[in-house]
Structure formats: C-alpha cells, structure tokens
Amino acid sequence: MHDELTQVDIQQMKKELEERKVLAYTLREEVQRTREYGDLSENAEYKCAKQEFNKNRSRIRYLERMIETAVVIEVKSEEGKVCLFDKVTVRYPDEDETEVVRIVTTLRNDVFTNNISKESPFGKALLGKAVGDKVTVTGGNGSSYIVEILAIEKGEDDPGLPISEY
C-alpha cells in the first residue's frame, strides 16, 4: 500500500529524518556512556537510553519507508466541492450539533484537533460533496450516521500542520 501524500508532507518527513539522524549519534553516545555503569540487568539508565535509541531508530526506518513508497499528489481545489485541506462545517441532524473538520492526508490525521484523514470513512464521505449535501458515513463496524454539509472554507496545504508521530 502506498500513501498519497503532498510535497509538503514529504518535505516535513525529510526534515524530521535529518533531525533524527543527528539525534541518533547523541543517543548512541548515551547508550555507550550508560553501559559503563556496570551490571546491565540493574542499570535503569542504560535501559532508558537503549529504549530511546531504539525508538529513534524505528522512527527513522518508518520515515525512510514512507518517503520511499509515497505517491505524491497535487492539492487541487474545486469551487463548491469539499477538497483536501478544506475546513468543512457539518451538522449531525440526529443530535442537532455542528462541528468544523479539516480534511487532511493520512500523515496529518489528528482527531483531537478535528483534522480528519481523507482515507477515513468520514473523510471519504465528505470529499467531492457540496454545501447542502447530506451524506451517510459508514464506519468499519457497519454502523452509519448522516451528516449535512453547512459550509466549506477553502484551504491549502499548510506546512504548519504537523505530521503525526505514527
């Protein structure tokens, strides 16, 4: 499976990758320093240093794999339709509540800040729709609900939008 990512996603990953490669040197030195404390089975500092080193190494592999396999997409905006990076105001008729969400790439998905992946059931249901449309969102477990699109605020690929940790 290849992730569809924007050029900004790729640039952010490359930047983090370079930072993590520099950090790897420091973490390696910390592992070597704490190893000198003696008995490794009771050396908490060594275990923590080793965990941080391995976590960083894992993230480096993840970033390299993502960059290598990504399919770079262009951000296209279509007037009157929900597109990537748009902020969409939706209403849940069953609960009479509204919410503003932004449609983003999978790499920037963060439900806590209402950044919803274009690959999620919610994102897929909204993409390409217009103000006034009522769409059915079907979750992975088969449950569904209806949302109505109240407004679309056109957006663009924001480099300030962080990429997710994993």
Side-chain angles (χ1 to χ4, degrees):
M1 183 175 108
H2 299 286
D3 287 294
E4 292 183 342
L5 304 174
T6 66
Q7 194 60 46
V8 171
D9 291 330
I10 302 294
Q11 289 169 347
Q12 285 182 307
M13 285 190 298
K14 285 180 177 180
K15 180 181 177 203
E16 181 182 345
L17 181 61
E18 290 308 310
E19 291 168 357
R20 287 195 173 272
K21 285 181 177 181
V22 170
L23 179 61
Y25 177 77
T26 305
L27 292 174
R28 185 177 305 116
E29 286 182 338
E30 182 67 9
V31 169
Q32 290 171 349
R33 185 183 68 77
T34 56
R35 172 179 246 148
E36 295 171 2
Y37 291 168
D39 185 4
L40 297 183
S41 66
E42 296 181 16
N43 187 338
E45 290 89 356
Y46 172 76
K47 288 179 184 176
C48 287
K50 189 76 171 164
Q51 284 176 341
E52 285 301 311
F53 176 77
N54 289 335
K55 182 179 172 185
N56 188 61
R57 195 169 66 187
S58 174
R59 181 67 174 176
I60 288 172
R61 284 193 306 267
Y62 169 79
L63 291 168
E64 287 173 339
R65 193 169 37 256
M66 288 291 288
I67 292 168
E68 188 177 301
T69 63
V71 174
V72 179
I73 58 172
E74 281 188 44
V75 179
K76 296 179 183 173
S77 184
E78 189 177 340
E79 195 58 44
K81 303 281 185 185
V82 176
C83 299
L84 192 57
F85 298 110
D86 290 349
K87 288 185 180 178
V88 185
T89 304
V90 296
R91 184 174 77 82
Y92 301 91
D94 293 344
E95 301 166 9
D96 199 30
E97 292 182 12
T98 61
E99 177 178 44
V100 177
V101 298
R102 182 184 340 206
I103 308 299
V104 296
T105 58
T106 56
L107 196 60
R108 300 201 210 160
N109 182 53
D110 182 1
V111 294
F112 297 113
T113 58
N114 287 346
N115 290 320
I116 308 298
S117 169
K118 70 183 195 69
E119 300 297 328
S120 70
F122 195 80
K124 285 180 181 178
L126 293 179
L127 279 174
K129 302 301 188 278
V131 171
D133 286 353
K134 290 183 180 178
V135 297
T136 302
V137 179
T138 305
N141 61 359
S143 65
S144 64
Y145 56 94
I146 295 173
V147 296
E148 179 182 4
I149 300 173
L150 299 179
I152 301 169
E153 180 185 328
K154 288 300 180 186
E156 53 189 46
D157 197 352
D158 180 6
L161 207 62
I163 60 176
S164 58
E165 282 296 310
Y166 281 99

